[in-house]
């Protein structure tokens, strides 16, 4: 994929990501509208268009229907396992900074509630769903609802007898 270096040394979005953004813009649809038509979450659709998630074969037809300007080449690119990464200076973007700040501020308490409710473990970021919703608060003002829906993964006690590498060959 082609990339361009910006003045600050960061890498600009790839030509593929730019082409995907253009196709979405030409559709005139939001990530939410595309999500409704494909059965995906709005954040996952955004991940697909940023090449941060892989398009699965069973979703191709509904995505093509939702965004008819996606070319066969772009669909093929979306089906390749992506290189999931982020630009280190992305934290300077105010919305991302505030999200990071919220997780850092509430993180220890969230961890304690997870441990209290589930036991010693973590939330998966692989078996994971994420969505962003807009609701009206009790004061009538718009509010952002971000849902992290991840599988609970308990830590395991590390017993030698369970290690395949330590079992005797038969």
């Amino acid at each position: 994929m082609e990339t361009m270096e910006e003045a600050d040394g960061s890498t600009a979005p790839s030509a593929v990501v730019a082409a995907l953004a253009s196709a979405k813009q030409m559709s005139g649809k939001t990530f939410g509208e595309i999500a409704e038509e494909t059965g995906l979450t709005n954040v996952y659709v955004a991940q697909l268009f940023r090449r941060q998630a892989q398009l699965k074969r069973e979703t191709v037809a509904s995505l093509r229907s939702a965004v008819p300007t996606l070319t066969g080449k772009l669909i093929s690119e979306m089906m390749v396992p992506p290189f999931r990464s982020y630009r280190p200076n992305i934290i300077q973007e105010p919305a991302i900074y505030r999200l990071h700040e919220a997780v850092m501020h509430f993180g220890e308490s969230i961890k304690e509630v997870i441990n209290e409710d589930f036991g010693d473990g973590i939330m998966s970021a692989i078996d994971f769903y994420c969505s962003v919703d807009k609701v009206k608060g009790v004061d009538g003002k718009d509010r952002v609802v971000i849902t992290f829906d991840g599988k609970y993964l308990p830590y395991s006690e590390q017993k030698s007898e369970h290690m395949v590498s330590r079992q005797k060959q038969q």
Side-chain angles (χ1 to χ4, degrees):
M1 286 190 281
E2 298 174 18
T3 59
M4 296 175 52
E5 190 165 291
E6 295 184 348
D8 67 358
S10 65
T11 304
S14 72
V16 171
V17 172
L20 290 169
S22 178
K24 178 193 169 284
Q25 184 178 11
M26 285 190 285
S27 78
K29 296 178 182 174
T30 65
F31 290 123
E33 290 167 336
I34 296 167
E36 284 184 33
E37 293 181 42
T38 58
L40 302 171
T41 68
N42 55 2
V43 173
Y44 194 80
V45 170
Q47 290 287 90
L48 286 171
F49 279 81
R50 301 250 354 120
R51 286 294 296 127
Q52 293 289 313
Q54 181 184 18
L55 176 63
K56 304 298 184 190
R57 186 170 309 285
E58 58 271 13
T59 307
V60 170
S62 61
L63 185 62
R64 269 202 162 127
S65 175
V67 186
T69 55
L70 286 172
T71 65
K73 182 175 178 164
L74 285 174
I75 292 289
S76 293
E77 288 283 347
M78 293 174 86
M79 294 179 75
V80 173
F83 184 79
R84 292 170 177 90
S85 65
Y86 62 92
R87 295 184 316 271
N89 64 347
I90 199 164
I91 194 72
Q92 296 170 359
E93 204 299 314
I96 294 169
Y97 176 81
R98 288 291 180 225
L99 181 58
H100 182 263
E101 180 182 49
V103 171
M104 297 308 291
H105 179 74
F106 290 97
E108 289 183 60
S109 299
I110 292 168
K111 180 229 183 291
E112 287 191 17
V113 171
I114 289 171
N115 291 160
E116 188 173 82
D117 289 352
F118 294 90
D120 186 22
I122 62 170
M123 177 181 68
S124 173
I126 302 295
D127 190 344
F128 182 85
Y129 300 87
C130 183
S131 64
V132 176
D133 296 292
K134 179 180 178 180
V135 299
K136 290 286 183 195
V138 294
D139 60 0
K141 295 181 180 173
D142 290 340
R143 300 190 65 82
V144 177
V145 176
I146 299 172
T147 303
F148 286 177
D149 179 345
K151 179 181 178 181
Y152 171 72
L153 301 172
Y155 285 107
S156 58
E157 185 175 41
Q158 297 185 18
K159 294 184 177 183
S160 298
E161 64 194 56
H162 295 156
M163 289 183 64
V164 174
S165 63
R166 298 252 172 114
Q167 294 176 358
K168 303 261 189 239
Q169 297 295 327
Q170 296 180 8

